[in-house]
Amino acid sequence: DTWQLLAEKAKNAYRKAYAPYSKFNVGAAALTFTNKVVQGCNVENASYGLTVCAERNCIAQGVIQHSESEKLQFSALVVYTEQEKLTPPCGACRQVISEFFPKGAQVMAVNHLNEQQHWKIEELLPDAFTPYDLFNKT
């Protein structure tokens, strides 16, 4: 099952998070349309504004690993935390996600209790500003 695999990979990434200030570890795993799985974790910084979320690190790993001959696009993303409340992507991550995922793709939040919630990209950030808006100005 794809969601189960991504949840396991996100949990593994969670264990590598660097979160000494917030103690709020987050792991993420995404699946490309070419069936590659990439992972990311949050990396905090003493200058808090420089912290990078797990979702954006995950997408950046996909950018690094993908072949220039293919257009990078993801089909699914899982965000893992060990919080009682399921954790959706923050606003900055939602904007970056909208750059690389089609509107109908899904994001799943999962926690240590295996509770899950799914959202479509267009639900997380309705009317997102995307590359389409830059290239289709009419």
Side-chain angles (χ1 to χ4, degrees), residues 19-93:
Y21 310 108
S22 71
K23 309 288 190 240
F24 193 89
N25 290 23
V26 181
L31 182 68
T32 69
F33 273 107
T34 58
N35 290 318
K36 294 178 186 170
V37 175
V38 293
Q39 299 167 269
C41 62
N42 58 319
V43 178
E44 293 183 347
N45 191 282
S47 176
Y48 297 142
L50 298 179
T51 293
V52 181
C53 298
E55 298 92 326
R56 285 182 280 149
N57 263 340
C58 181
I59 291 167
Q61 287 299 316
V63 169
I64 290 167
Q65 294 177 24
H66 103 281
S67 165
E68 290 183 31
S69 64
E70 64 186 48
K71 180 180 183 281
L72 178 62
Q73 198 168 48
F74 296 93
S75 59
L77 174 74
V78 172
V79 179
Y80 178 89
T81 63
E82 292 195 353
Q83 304 298 312
E84 297 293 319
K85 182 182 178 303
L86 293 169
T87 307
C90 74
C93 287

Side-chain angles (χ1 to χ4, degrees), residues 30 59 73-77 97-103 105-106 121:
I59 291 167
Q73 198 168 48
F74 296 93
S75 59
L77 174 74
I97 289 167
S98 71
E99 178 85 12
F100 292 97
F101 288 75
K103 291 179 184 181
Q106 290 197 359
I121 303 304

